[in-house]
Amino acid sequence: MSRQEIHLDGGRSYPIDIVSRGGLEGLGPVVCEVLGDGRRAHLVTNPVVGNLYLDAALDSLRGAGIEPVLHEVPDGEAFKTVETWSQLVEGLLSAGIGRSDLVIALGGGVTGDLAGLAAAS
């Protein structure tokens, strides 16, 4: 697992953890480092990506002592809607998400957009 620092305009920087192809085994240790004590992880994925990578991601997280709360969103641009976002937010709230919990998007595109917006909300 490699760690890079991204430098933003204005002098701000923050660490970005990179999980490379075939590197999901490193997800659990990275999440442990980020989570600290008393925080939980919520994993958001879609059926397409989930079928390919969910088992590896869950194995890595569980191997690191993390039992994530799983949330699934539909795949495809047609589901980038307020309704899908609202359902994800309701799922996160029903699971008892707190301000210090971590939201992990397993997938890009619509999944990443919805997970990011839900986490920011």
Side-chain angles (χ1 to χ4, degrees):
M1 188 64 46
S2 64
R3 179 170 250 183
Q4 293 185 40
E5 238 182 72
I6 303 294
H7 297 277
L8 304 174
D9 291 338
R12 287 183 46 204
S13 65
Y14 56 92
I16 298 292
D17 291 304
I18 306 298
V19 178
S20 62
R21 176 184 275 271
L24 282 175
E25 66 274 356
L27 180 62
V30 168
V31 170
C32 277
E33 184 180 322
V34 171
L35 276 177
D37 292 332
R39 294 174 65 186
R40 293 186 314 152
H42 297 262
L43 182 66
V44 180
T45 193
N46 67 61
V48 174
V49 173
N51 284 337
L52 295 171
Y53 302 109
L54 182 59
D55 288 342
L58 291 175
D59 287 348
S60 180
L61 291 166
R62 290 175 178 151
I66 300 163
E67 185 58 46
V69 180
L70 183 60
H71 305 272
E72 189 173 87
V73 295
D75 185 48
E77 286 293 319
F79 295 102
K80 193 187 282 188
T81 64
V82 171
E83 181 180 344
T84 306
W85 165 82
S86 177
Q87 290 170 353
L88 176 56
V89 169
E90 288 296 324
L92 291 165
L93 290 171
S94 293
I97 192 169
R99 288 184 62 109
S100 64
D101 287 0
L102 181 68
V103 176
I104 303 166
L106 181 62
V110 174
T111 301
D113 292 346
L114 289 170
L117 183 58
S121 300

